[in-house]
Amino acid sequence: MPALALGGFGIGLTEFVIAGLLPQVGRSLHVSTAAAGWLISGYALTVAVGAIAVTAATAGLPQKPVLVGLVALFVAGNLLSALAPDYGVMMLGRVVAALCHGSFFGIGSLVARRLVPPERASRAVATMFAGLTVANVLGVPFGALVGERWGWRATFWAITAIGAVALVAIAVLVPAWAGAKGGGADLRTQLRSFRSTQVWLTLTATALGYGGMFGAFSYLAYTFTRVAGFSTTDVAWLLMVYGTGLVVGNIAGGRGADRDRDLTLIVSLAGLMTTLTVFGLLASSRPASVILVFLLGVFGFATVPGMITRVTDAAGGVPLAASANVSASNVGNAVGAWAGGLVISAGWGYAAPLYVGAGIVGVGLGVMGVAVWVGGVVGGGSGVGVDGASDRASGEATGDGEIVETKGP
């Protein structure tokens, strides 16, 4: 499990670290701020597409070698970024690194579940995602610190080294039996899992939950400085408060989902909607902003472990569904940021994205309520997955989409 978390940490650094390096990268590669910003957007779009495409391309292959290959791809992408002589090669490095992102977390979450007893399934997923949440806390300041002292290329060399260590750790520490089989007999079998209404409802709730949170998060720097009156130098530590909330929410969400998954998801989405609404009302208060940005992280990431286990159980355990969940979150991020930008452009102020985010999450909460009602599941911790699939963390999909138990040696 620590090996998977380390891989998640490196991948998370790659995603977040660029934000603190954009000015340096832009000057070094002689591109505009807008062009440099595409190093972030291009990564996110590649994650959204690559999560499904790469997982589909590796359907049926043993999952441990696939994970090792994905981390090797991550290493290659960051090595390209570290060596990039121009903007084109830099963008290529970002795209190559992003290709591994969604599939790593999708396939890795299934491997992680096999390493623990069934009743700890969501906590296993949370442990793997812990690396990503810690990277969110440390990513921007880490990149800024290393970049300022040794140059932005040194940051990507450091991430390349972390990726190499993670590659070795996964190859050595992840048991062969945990990733010995593919997620289904073939791609057609995996695609059949998307006939499930529960899969689509859960993916929709994921996109809306993430969209609401990140739609507001994308403009928090402006909310802090233009509404609350913080200085620009305060933004870094305020974002670390948010990142700390992500870590707490990830842990709490994993534990809660193992007890009662659907209740945890509904409470988390309701808490996120309430936090965004109150944040909008109290955005001009500095003390309230500090508390609320922490709660934004807590409730926002508390949904992640439960959403992953819910969608994979609904799909009969196939990795394509888990990767699709990562794609859905990235699509939600893009749509949420777009919606937040619209209300700012319309002159509604820098607190407006918080209200927009609350509305988007509110729709997601409604979708999750429908999913629970349609599935006839009062609580996700009952041990019975949606659509009749067994909620066994150690399950593996057969060619017919049925989950059968896979045990260790």
Side-chain angles (χ1 to χ4, degrees):
M1 201 75 71
L4 295 173
L6 180 61
F9 176 69
I11 292 172
L13 279 181
T14 300
E15 180 177 17
F16 301 121
V17 78
I18 190 68
L21 299 173
L22 280 185
Q24 289 187 49
V25 173
R27 287 193 301 268
S28 175
L29 301 179
H30 309 292
V31 296
S32 66
T33 301
W38 270 100
L39 295 172
I40 297 176
S41 302
Y43 185 97
L45 291 172
T46 304
V47 170
V49 176
I52 295 177
V54 174
T55 304
T58 58
L61 296 178
Q63 291 176 338
K64 179 178 175 178
V66 169
L67 282 177
V68 173
L70 290 172
V71 179
L73 195 66
F74 161 79
V75 171
N78 281 285
L79 184 59
L80 271 177
S81 295
L83 296 170
D86 54 41
Y87 178 76
V89 176
M90 181 69 179
M91 179 61 79
L92 177 62
R94 294 289 291 168
V95 168
V96 170
L99 284 173
C100 82
H101 185 124
S103 294
F104 177 86
F105 285 110
I107 295 172
S109 66
L110 297 180
V111 173
R113 293 181 68 173
R114 298 188 195 107
L115 296 173
V116 299
E119 64 274 10
R120 297 179 61 88
S122 294
R123 272 173 282 186
V125 174
T127 299
M128 189 192 70
F129 273 90
L132 180 65
T133 59
V134 172
N136 198 303
V137 178
L138 300 179
V140 175
F142 170 82
L145 178 64
V146 175
E148 183 177 344
R149 187 171 181 86
W150 294 290
W152 65 267
R153 294 181 189 277
T155 303
F156 285 97
W157 279 114
I159 296 174
T160 301
I162 291 171
V165 173
L167 189 153
V168 173
I170 291 171
V172 173
L173 299 179
V174 173
W177 60 265
K181 295 184 179 181
D186 52 31
L187 179 58
R188 182 177 298 179
T189 298
Q190 298 210 46
L191 290 174
R192 280 204 299 267
S193 69
F194 287 88
R195 296 175 181 174
S196 166
T197 301
Q198 289 292 343
V199 168
W200 286 107
L201 287 172
T202 307
L203 291 176
T204 301
T206 294
L208 291 168
Y210 264 87
M213 177 176 67
F214 280 99
F217 173 78
S218 299
Y219 303 97
L220 276 183
Y222 296 100
T223 307
F224 289 141
T225 56
R226 305 287 181 87
V227 182
F230 286 103
S231 68
T232 54
T233 56
D234 289 325
V235 173
W237 69 262
L238 286 165
L239 293 180
M240 290 186 71
V241 172
Y242 167 79
T244 303
L246 295 181
V247 175
V248 174
N250 181 54
I251 296 171
R255 290 181 177 275
D258 279 334
R259 296 190 186 96
D260 194 324
R261 184 171 58 201
D262 286 342
L263 178 62
T264 297
L265 291 174
I266 288 173
V267 169
S268 298
L269 289 169
L272 179 58
M273 180 183 68
T274 303
T275 298
L276 286 165
T277 302
V278 175
F279 203 163
L281 294 171
L282 302 180
S284 60
S285 168
R286 293 188 186 185
S289 293
V290 175
I291 295 171
L292 289 165
V293 77
F294 173 75
L295 293 177
L296 180 64
V298 171
F299 287 116
F301 222 83
T303 63
V304 172
M307 288 292 191
I308 287 279
T309 57
R310 193 178 205 280
V311 77
T312 50
D313 286 341
V318 300
L320 191 59
S323 297
N325 196 73
V326 179
S327 291
S329 66
N330 278 270
V331 170
N333 294 353
V335 172
W338 170 76
L342 279 183
V343 294
I344 290 175
S345 299
W348 293 3
Y350 288 103
L354 293 163
Y355 294 116
V356 172
I360 293 172
V361 174
V363 177
L365 176 60
V367 171
M368 181 52 61
V370 170
V372 173
W373 178 73
V374 169
V377 181
V378 177
S382 62
V384 179
V386 292
D387 278 8
S390 170
D391 189 15
R392 289 192 294 265
S394 55
E396 180 65 43
T398 68
D400 296 324
E402 179 188 0
I403 293 183
V404 296
E405 193 171 2
T406 304
K407 295 183 181 296

